[in-house]
Amino acid sequence: MSVEFFRDIAKPVVSGFGITARRLKHRKVTVMYPEVKREQYPRTRWRHVLKRYDNGLEKCIGCSLCAGACPARCIYVEAAENTDEERYSAGERYAVRYEINMIRCIFCGYCQDACPTGAIVLQKDFELADYKRESFIYTKERLLEPLPQVV
Ligand code: SF4
Ligand code: SF4
């Protein structure tokens, strides 16, 4: 093997293996997703949830401030009056229809900041992929957290 061959071909290859070998000592930055999931940062903002009070009443009062604050115009709220016989929220009104178009959402969190009752909260669930466009319209039924367990 000539000296020229070593200089032109073999030396860079050996040098490359050297870099790889040195990296083997470093801590891995990758994880085996989806089996392993990284801990999310405390202020991570992903999927929205409509919250309830401890007594089960919905926090949302259908005021539409979230829809007004949304820069992507992806929230639709339709309000209705609570009655003594049928009460859903603690306020005079509740959201009879609440929808978020998750394709348009940019996860800015402005809706959460604008909400006067803390009803809409962006949480840490980031696995939002789906196959159908219709599946990205998150209805109130999908967004509302379950009723608290009675013990
Ligand atoms: S996170 Fe931002 S873009 Fe998404 S619904 Fe809320 S205000 Fe709109
Ligand atoms: S989520 Fe909050 S801001 Fe939006 S309609 Fe309900 S109460 Fe109003």
Side-chain angles (χ1 to χ4, degrees):
M1 219 176 287
S2 70
V3 173
E4 287 75 27
F5 173 81
F6 183 77
R7 192 190 59 220
D8 296 341
I9 308 287
K11 197 175 166 193
V13 171
V14 170
S15 160
F17 276 124
I19 292 170
T20 306
R22 280 201 297 281
R23 294 300 304 179
L24 289 176
K25 288 187 286 185
H26 290 230
R27 193 171 64 86
K28 270 198 287 185
V29 293
T30 51
V31 295
M32 292 298 286
Y33 179 84
E35 289 80 16
V36 181
K37 289 173 189 157
R38 280 227 177 86
E39 179 58 30
Q40 300 280 303
Y41 289 106
R43 291 173 62 194
T44 299
R45 290 190 300 237
W46 286 109
R47 188 193 189 285
H48 309 62
V49 172
L50 280 173
K51 307 294 272 184
R52 293 180 187 270
Y53 291 105
D54 291 342
N55 62 6
L57 284 177
E58 297 165 15
K59 287 191 174 182
C60 178
I61 51 173
C63 66
S64 289
L65 287 176
C66 52
C70 177
R73 294 282 178 262
C74 60
I75 303 181
Y76 177 79
V77 185
E78 209 175 296
E81 300 283 331
N82 283 303
T83 61
D84 290 338
E85 297 74 40
E86 253 187 295
R87 171 161 292 280
Y88 297 94
S89 78
E92 283 177 20
R93 306 206 302 164
Y94 71 100
V96 67
R97 194 170 154 199
Y98 192 105
E99 288 176 3
I100 302 180
N101 182 339
M102 296 298 268
I103 292 179
R104 293 176 66 171
C105 177
I106 56 171
F107 301 95
C108 62
Y110 284 4
C111 50
Q112 178 174 320
D113 293 344
C115 180
T117 61
I120 187 84
V121 178
L122 279 74
Q123 296 192 333
K124 294 182 181 175
D125 180 9
F126 60 88
E127 294 175 311
L128 307 175
D130 214 315
Y131 292 100
K132 292 191 225 134
R133 291 178 75 86
E134 313 86 81
S135 311
F136 289 96
I137 305 296
Y138 280 36
T139 59
K140 180 182 171 184
E141 290 67 34
R142 283 178 76 183
L143 293 164
L144 194 60
E145 66 180 358
L147 278 165
Q149 295 289 322
V150 182
V151 277

